[in-house]
Amino acid sequence: MGHHHRLRLILVPCFLAAILIISPFSIGVKEETLKIICSQTKNEEICVKILNKDSRTLSATLLELSLLSINLTRNQATRNFKNFQKLRDNSNTTPTLKNSYDRCLNLYTLMFQKISEAYDLSQKGKYKEITQLGEAQDLAYRCENGIPSKSSSTAAISQTMIITCEASASVNLYITHTFP
Ligand SMILES: *[C@@H]1O[C@H](CO)[C@@H](O)[C@H](O)[C@H]1NC(C)=O
């Protein structure tokens, strides 16, 4: 067997391996991948919808998707924060509920910090260190759980917040599993 032959035997598998390793970085995320990512969440269908809220999702690479999904989490938190502010400031809101909404505003302020930390870590490629999205999810739970359930008009937006946190956490988990 000549040198050339042996070289080819070595190079071809290397080349194929390189494609397999590199492609999740360089090729756009597929619907199929979104489904795999979202199958790890409580609601696959809503999770896929949430991640598709950014029109760039399906043309993004997996690493870009991480940043996009964290921004989607921030956007949802911003919407919810404004909602809780409005409810708190509404003159029909009872003092008890006002307290609950104030507590939510504090918890969401903490969430914004968590989300920013997660974004920084994603930018630095430190996917394994991203625990803040799960923590943000807990904060969203704590907010909703502190509102007397009979009078809660925020169950739906809290649910969306929780699933959005879960979706972005799941994107990062998928990245750490794909590139251990
Ligand atoms: C995420 O949001 C920040 C702040 O609004 C923005 O500067 C950044 O470009 C966004 N990133 C992506 C990937 O859209």
Side-chain angles (χ1 to χ4, degrees), residues 32-86:
E32 213 39 55
T33 310
L34 287 188
K35 280 188 186 159
I36 294 169
I37 289 169
C38 286
S39 66
Q40 303 304 310
T41 69
K42 272 187 286 299
N43 194 320
E44 179 181 318
E45 202 180 323
I46 296 179
C47 166
V48 170
K49 258 190 209 149
I50 285 170
L51 292 177
N52 269 319
K53 273 185 190 170
D54 192 307
S55 58
R56 296 168 295 175
T57 288
L58 287 176
S59 56
T61 65
L62 200 46
L63 303 188
E64 287 164 350
L65 180 65
S66 168
L67 293 173
L68 291 180
S69 70
I70 296 170
N71 271 4
L72 288 169
T73 307
R74 198 202 317 267
N75 296 346
Q76 187 63 44
T78 303
R79 276 195 290 274
N80 284 19
F81 187 88
K82 286 179 181 160
N83 238 300
F84 286 120
Q85 258 178 339
K86 243 189 245 162

